[in-house]
């Protein structure tokens, strides 16, 4: 099959069953349009886990997992991580182009002016136990935002969609910091309009009414980079969840809340928290071989957290960038002898030399290093996935908006291969007598 061919013929027993159109993308594999397949043949396609299925057209992010390439709107992640700030990348992901200085200033100002949450929203926190997982609170409170902005919830209005994007990018960090303060019993800190996006988040996390907090610029840069690296990753599980939820016409806050729920899983965004828990459990370099043996044992469900990726079958380019940020932060904080980091490096070294991991192309992923950096930044382990959600909010909302504006969009409704019992009657003994 080449992109020059326009159609693929489905032939069975020398008879053409149907002709399926082929579409080329700007980069990456062509796709076969199977929309007409069922009508023409009575057949469904079967692809659990969506390994070979494109669910939409998208112009936001491109990944070549074999080559280890990640582009946002065409720009390589390495260049964006080196030359841009997170809010510039947000603008790029939302609008398709890097901003000139004036639109960037206006965008930053707009975000800043929406960082405060409705005071009534604080009451939601009181309904949660203090030891609730921050992701449980985040799912609830972000979903609850839809109860506050009735005036801008018309999903067909470009202006309302833009407003929802600004509100979500601005308020999710405030809510994440509130989750932290609530769990520690400390008062919520209001956002400060004089501070940049990341500084403001660190301020809301670490300042108290009794104490000034001055964020360290190296740590601000590290967190900014973490957010850039997590900003989007095309049709991953949580983004697909946001799109599927939104396909029914649900409001963006509800959809992003569904994305947060999906992200929480350990096979997805929950991995950064699992990495730290795993390192704590391993505890000492001498115990690594036993854990590697467990990871390789088919009868043991244990997996090396932070290794492997559905799409990257090469080094995850985000992991490479995160690894260097990890070194910068540990140098700045003089933590190079940190027990967990030493463990992580040894684990990485052994796994990269082991035939099991080499053969299966299991490389460290971005979560392997981001967990260590977040730990060094003083972010509690339970909050790691919430920080991933903070970075990914822009990706979720950009995909949601792209889907709503796509004239081809319909409610998402997958089909199935039914394997349950064939039709049967309720036995006579089970029939209710009236
Ligand atoms: N440790 C040990 N073995 C592994 C690991 C791992 N981390 N990941 C995959 N494998 C093995 C599988 O057992 C399987 O082996 P087999 O061929 O002998 O059966 C093979 O590698 C292929 O694995 P799959 O599960 O089929 O790969 P899939 O693409 O479905 O899963 C996933 C990808 C979920 C990321 C998986 O690698 C994993 O669970 N990793 C650990 C969790 C993690 O780090 N998740 C973060 C993902 S990145 C992100 O969300 C930002």
């Amino acid at each position: 099959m080449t992109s020059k061919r326009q159609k693929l013929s489905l032939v069975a027993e020398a008879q053409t069953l149907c002709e399926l159109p082929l579409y080329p993308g700007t980069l990456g594999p062509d796709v076969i349009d199977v929309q007409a397949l069922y009508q023409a043949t009575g057949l469904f396609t079967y692809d659990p886990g969506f390994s070979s299925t494109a669910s939409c057209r998208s112009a936001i992010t491109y990944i070549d997992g074999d080559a280890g390439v990640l582009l946002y709107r065409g720009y390589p992640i390495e260049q964006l991580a080196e030359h841009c700030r997170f809010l510039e990348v947000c603008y790029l992901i939302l609008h398709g182009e890097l901003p000139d200085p004036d639109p960037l200033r206006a965008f930053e100002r707009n975000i800043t002016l929406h960082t405060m949450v409705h005071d009534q929203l604080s009451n939601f926190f009181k309904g949660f136990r203090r030891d609730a997982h921050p992701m449980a609170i985040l799912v609830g409170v972000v979903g609850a935002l839809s109860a506050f902005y009735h005036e801008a919830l018309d999903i067909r209005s470009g202006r309302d969609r833009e407003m929802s994007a600004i509100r979500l990018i601005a308020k999710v960090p405030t809510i994440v910091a509130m989750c932290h303060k609530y769990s520690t019993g400390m008062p919520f800190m209001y956002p400060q309009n004089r501070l940049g996006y990341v500084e403001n988040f660190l301020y809301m996390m670490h300042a108290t009414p009794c104490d000034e907090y001055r964020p360290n610029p190296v740590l601000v840069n590290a967190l900014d980079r973490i957010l850039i690296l997590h900003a989007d990753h095309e049709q991953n599980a949580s983004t697909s969840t946001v799109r599927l939820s939104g396909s029914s016409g649900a409001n963006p806050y509800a959809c992003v809340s569904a994305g947060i729920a999906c992200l929480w899983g350990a096979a997805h965004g929950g991995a950064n928290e699992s990495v730290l828990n795993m390192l704590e459990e391993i505890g000492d370099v001498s115990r690594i071989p036993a854990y590697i043996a467990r990871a390789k044992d088919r009868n043991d469900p244990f997996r090396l957290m932070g290794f492997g990726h559905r799409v990257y079958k090469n080094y995850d380019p985000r992991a490479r960038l995160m690894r260097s940020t990890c070194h910068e932060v540990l140098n700045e904080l003089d933590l190079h002898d940190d027990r967990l980091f030493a463990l992580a490096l040894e684990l990485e070294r052994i796994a990269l030399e082991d035939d099991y991991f080499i053969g299966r192309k299991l490389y460290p992923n971005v979560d392997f290093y981001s967990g260590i950096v977040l730990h060094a930044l003083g972010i509690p382990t339970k909050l790691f996935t919430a920080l991933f959600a903070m970075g990914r909010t822009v990706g979720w909302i950009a995909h949601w908006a792209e889907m709503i504006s796509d004239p081809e969009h319909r409610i998402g409704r997958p089909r199935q291969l039914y394997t349950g019992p064939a039709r049967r009657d309720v036995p006579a003994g089970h029939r209710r007598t009236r």
Side-chain angles (χ1 to χ4, degrees), residues 341-378:
F341 189 57
L343 251 174
L345 284 186
E346 184 60 7
L347 194 62
E348 179 201 38
R349 189 189 66 75
I350 295 177
L352 288 177
E353 287 173 1
D354 191 297
D355 285 346
Y356 174 93
F357 292 89
I358 295 168
R360 287 168 181 76
K361 301 186 174 172
L362 298 171
Y363 295 90
N365 57 48
V366 64
D367 288 332
F368 185 69
Y369 300 104
S370 66
I372 299 162
V373 176
L374 292 174
H375 174 68
L377 292 182

Side-chain angles (χ1 to χ4, degrees), residues 381-404:
T381 311
K382 268 173 98 175
L383 212 66
F384 285 5
T385 313
L387 266 93
F388 187 158
M390 228 170 97
R392 184 56 58 84
T393 296
V394 62
W396 287 329
I397 197 73
H399 278 274
W400 170 82
E402 184 181 62
M403 178 194 66
I404 300 290

Side-chain angles (χ1 to χ4, degrees), residues 266-269 271 295 298 303-310 313 318 356-357 360 362 365-367 388:
H268 192 7
R298 276 176 170 266
R303 284 188 165 195
L304 270 196
M305 286 295 133
F307 280 78
H309 198 278
R310 169 58 63 82
K313 302 304 175 193
R318 303 168 303 168
Y356 174 93
F357 292 89
R360 287 168 181 76
L362 298 171
N365 57 48
V366 64
D367 288 332
F388 187 158

Side-chain angles (χ1 to χ4, degrees), residues 399-412:
H399 278 274
W400 170 82
E402 184 181 62
M403 178 194 66
I404 300 290
S405 331
D406 182 348
E408 274 191 357
H409 119 256
R410 305 163 72 198
I411 186 166

Side-chain angles (χ1 to χ4, degrees), residues 292-333:
I292 297 266
R294 282 189 61 193
K296 289 156 59 169
D297 181 355
R298 276 176 170 266
N299 299 317
D300 189 330
F302 175 78
R303 284 188 165 195
L304 270 196
M305 286 295 133
F307 280 78
H309 198 278
R310 169 58 63 82
V311 178
Y312 292 115
K313 302 304 175 193
N314 196 327
Y315 216 98
D316 176 344
R318 303 168 303 168
R320 211 184 294 281
L321 291 158
M322 210 59 255
R323 193 177 194 274
S324 73
T325 300
C326 202
H327 282 283
E328 277 163 34
V329 167
L330 295 167
N331 275 340
E332 174 69 17
L333 299 176

